[in-house]
């Protein structure tokens, strides 16, 4: 289990993140058209997994906007924005913001959060996903990971983007 904070109060996650150097576990999530997407569908591209509690919070929304602008413009790179929000809410947000360069995926009917060790195990957000960025190379190997220590803070965009350029 990892410990993060929510406005200074400690919150536990369901486990530990997959480690840099390891192959990322495959998953099946739901896209905006309600079809299922697997991580393996994106093999051959660099992948940013932008994972967060809910699109309806300012910090989560900012991470989607920032990765839409910065990471999606890189060659052979796809940004997957993952939360337990329903696909309808994710689509509504992206449409309202004009965000066309990220792919929203919902973990509402999967064990993604537990499989990746990042689901909140306690606290007021229990069951939601913690704020995490995981970057994968074209073979699906993890080249960067960050679990943001304070849920209300943004991830380190610069380090995540820099890992894509190596």
């Amino acid at each position: 289990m990892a410990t993060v904070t929510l406005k200074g109060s400690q919150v536990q996650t369901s486990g530990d993140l997959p480690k840099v150097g390891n192959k990322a576990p495959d998953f099946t999530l739901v896209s905006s058209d309600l079809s299922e997407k697997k991580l393996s569908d994106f093999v051959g591209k660099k992948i940013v997994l932008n994972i967060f509690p809910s699109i309806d919070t300012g910090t989560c929304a900012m991470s989607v906007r920032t990765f839409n602008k910065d990471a999606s413009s890189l060659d052979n790179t796809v940004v997957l924005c993952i939360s337990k929000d329903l696909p309808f809410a994710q689509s509504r947000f992206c449409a309202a913001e004009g965000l066309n360069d990220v792919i929203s995926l919902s973990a509402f009917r999967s064990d993604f959060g537990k499989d990746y060790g990042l689901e909140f195990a306690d606290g007021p957000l229990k069951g939601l996903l913690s704020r995490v960025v995981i970057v994968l190379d074209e073979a699906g190997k993890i080249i960067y990971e960050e679990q943001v220590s304070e849920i209300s803070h943004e991830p380190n965009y610069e380090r995540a983007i820099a890992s894509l350029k190596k």
Side-chain angles (χ1 to χ4, degrees):
M1 284 188 158
T3 302
V4 295
T5 58
L6 172 59
K7 297 182 180 175
S9 297
Q10 289 191 346
V11 181
Q12 302 296 314
T13 64
S14 58
D16 295 312
L17 296 180
K19 300 295 179 210
V20 169
N22 291 341
K23 187 167 174 72
D26 202 7
F27 55 71
T28 302
L29 301 173
V30 181
S31 70
S32 60
D33 65 0
L34 301 179
S35 66
E36 292 186 338
K37 297 288 184 193
K38 296 179 178 219
L39 178 60
S40 57
D41 294 339
F42 302 98
V43 169
K45 294 185 176 285
K46 293 179 182 176
I47 303 168
V48 176
L49 302 179
N50 177 33
I51 306 159
F52 48 87
S54 175
I55 195 68
D56 288 323
T57 67
T59 306
C60 300
M62 182 57 71
S63 73
V64 174
R65 287 185 202 105
T66 301
F67 281 121
N68 181 78
K69 180 176 65 95
D70 295 343
S72 62
S73 64
L74 299 174
D75 288 338
N76 199 38
T77 302
V78 63
V79 178
L80 306 180
C81 294
I82 303 170
S83 69
K84 284 198 174 179
D85 291 302
L86 292 177
F88 315 112
Q90 294 171 332
S91 293
R92 181 186 68 241
F93 172 81
C94 287
E97 295 280 328
L99 306 178
N100 300 312
D101 297 324
V102 295
I103 298 170
S104 295
L105 297 174
S106 176
F108 82 100
R109 62 178 181 209
S110 82
D111 290 327
F112 172 80
K114 290 181 182 170
D115 293 345
Y116 272 66
L118 51 80
E119 183 174 297
F120 291 122
D122 60 15
L125 299 180
K126 181 179 179 179
L128 295 180
L129 308 177
S130 63
R131 186 173 320 288
V132 172
V133 175
I134 299 174
V135 179
L136 313 175
D137 67 11
E138 296 89 341
K141 186 175 82 175
I142 300 168
I143 58 174
Y144 175 83
E145 56 94 352
E146 175 191 9
Q147 184 160 43
V148 180
S149 60
E150 166 55 50
I151 298 163
S152 64
H153 293 171
E154 293 180 58
N156 188 326
Y157 302 113
E158 295 80 22
R159 290 178 83 191
I161 300 300
S163 74
L164 290 162
K165 296 178 179 178
K166 291 182 181 177

